Amino acid sequence: MCSYWLESRDLSEERLKEQVDELFAKVDTKLLKIFTSGSFFDDNEVPGYLRRYIVEKALERGVEKIIVESRPEFVSEEKLKDFDGIELEVGIGLETVNDFVRENCINKGFTFSDFTSAVEKIKAFGFRVKCYLLLKPPFLSEREAILDVVNSAKKVSRLVDVISINLTNVQKATVVEKLWERNLYRPPWLWSAVEAIKRIESEAEIICDPVAGGRIRGPHNCGKCDREVASALRLFSLTQDKSVLELDCDCKAVWRKTLEIEDFSRVPLL
Ligand SMILES: [Zn+2]
């Protein structure tokens, strides 16, 4: 479902360092989020000396917290030591606690225990962990997708600080796109995200930004209520107040029927 590989470019290390210098010349902030669309701790993506250079520059400029993302296998004590003196939050795309679903529906290539051992290392340094969960990978019905995300959140809520629920959207040149073109996949209903969040009892903060919400390739409802439901999800993310999710629309009945029938039909109803 991910088409980031289409955006990859081979950048020389010099060019990468120049980007960092350009960034620090422009930016004056306490909070720095470095979104590499990959793994910040992968030496092939960001060489070690450059990671240390970024921390050094950040400290110089008064940055208090850095947010990065990484696959779990690249997280090591040695690399975490480089962040001495600054707050760090590491986002990891676990997607689901279910190893079968992660391997067969998502093709992620690591296990839940790889994730927990990375989390342990990060927490041992007193740093924060954000866990990304994916709502509705291909091959799960709408109801199974909700159950999977609720169960996953329950299991990780004591391990991590933030749980970010990401709703699958249809990206270019992916298996999801091929399925979607043949009417074999529909992005999740926004009601499913609402339902999942209502059911999750979590010690961790829950956030959900429905990227491409209301669009045909993104998570959507009937078209009439999408904007309102997507805004409610964003408002919930800021406030953690579940009462903002008490919404209704005529299409809710269709969504409920979907939950019932897709388990058997295995293809989207509309
Ligand atoms: Zn609606």
Side-chain angles (χ1 to χ4, degrees):
M1 64 294 300
C2 173
S3 64
Y4 283 158
W5 57 276
L6 281 175
E7 320 269 329
S8 301
R9 298 282 179 278
D10 261 333
L11 273 187
S12 66
E13 289 188 14
E14 293 74 43
R15 184 68 198 105
L16 214 51
K17 187 163 176 292
E18 274 169 34
Q19 280 192 0
V20 172
D21 286 330
E22 283 164 23
L23 172 90
F24 280 109
K26 278 187 232 158
V27 167
D28 181 18
T29 178
K30 301 265 178 235
L31 173 68
L32 182 64
K33 180 177 177 182
I34 305 172
F35 184 66
T36 50
S37 298
S39 290
F40 188 70
F41 291 113
D42 177 1
D43 290 332
N44 290 320
E45 287 180 46
V46 185
Y49 76 87
L50 197 55
R51 273 196 303 272
R52 288 186 288 278
Y53 180 68
I54 290 171
V55 176
E56 203 179 289
K57 280 272 182 189
L59 283 168
E60 243 175 64
R61 299 298 301 266
V63 173
E64 290 168 4
K65 181 176 177 182
I66 299 184
I67 303 178
V68 298
E69 300 179 323
S70 181
R71 284 174 62 95
E73 64 265 39
F74 299 118
V75 174
S76 72
E77 280 179 22
E78 198 196 339
K79 292 173 190 167
L80 289 166
K81 268 182 202 155
D82 294 339
F83 290 81
D84 192 27
I86 206 155
E87 279 179 68
L88 176 69
E89 183 174 292
V90 185
I92 304 178
L94 173 67
E95 321 302 354
T96 167
V97 297
N98 184 318
D99 281 341
F100 182 86
V101 170
R102 194 181 323 92
E103 201 48 42
N104 294 288
C105 303
I106 307 176
N107 192 23
K108 193 86 184 186
F110 65 77
T111 64
F112 183 56
S113 71
D114 294 332
F115 169 79
T116 52
S117 80
V119 171
E120 272 170 34
K121 284 174 203 158
I122 297 164
K123 295 303 244 176
F125 279 82
F127 298 144
R128 285 162 60 90
V129 179
K130 186 196 293 177
C131 169
Y132 297 105
L133 297 177
L134 186 67
L135 180 68
K136 209 176 176 194
F139 314 116
L140 294 190
S141 71
E142 194 81 18
R143 191 190 63 90
E144 288 164 342
I146 296 171
L147 283 182
D148 180 67
V149 107
V150 171
N151 183 40
S152 297
K154 197 174 157 191
K155 209 161 168 181
V156 297
S157 77
R158 283 192 197 150
L159 304 174
V160 305
D161 303 278
V162 184
I163 297 171
S164 172
I165 299 177
N166 294 352
L167 315 186
T168 304
N169 54 75
V170 180
Q171 298 182 9
K172 293 227 179 310
T174 58
V175 171
V176 164
E177 187 184 48
K178 298 286 167 222
L179 292 167
W180 175 74
E181 283 166 352
R182 290 162 177 75
N183 295 322
L184 296 172
Y185 180 82
R186 182 204 191 278
W189 287 72
L190 290 164
W191 291 132
S192 296
V194 167
E195 178 69 16
I197 291 172
K198 280 185 183 174
R199 284 199 219 166
I200 294 167
E201 302 266 335
S202 167
E203 288 167 31
E205 188 184 332
I206 307 284
I207 56 175
C208 178
D209 179 18
V211 175
R215 305 236 175 131
I216 190 82
R217 281 175 172 260
H220 61 275
N221 287 347
C222 67
K224 276 184 265 168
C225 63
D226 295 56
R227 191 184 288 250
E228 188 190 4
V229 180
S231 323
L233 286 166
R234 291 191 182 104
L235 183 60
F236 166 79
S237 304
L238 293 171
T239 59
Q240 301 295 294
D241 176 5
K242 286 190 185 178
S243 72
V244 303
L245 300 173
E246 292 302 333
L247 300 164
D248 212 352
C249 179
D250 290 345
C251 71
K252 223 170 183 177
V254 181
W255 165 73
R256 282 209 188 90
K257 209 69 194 164
T258 297
L259 296 186
E260 202 180 307
I261 299 175
E262 250 187 41
D263 276 359
F264 305 99
S265 68
R266 307 311 302 178
V267 293
L269 298 172
L270 48 104

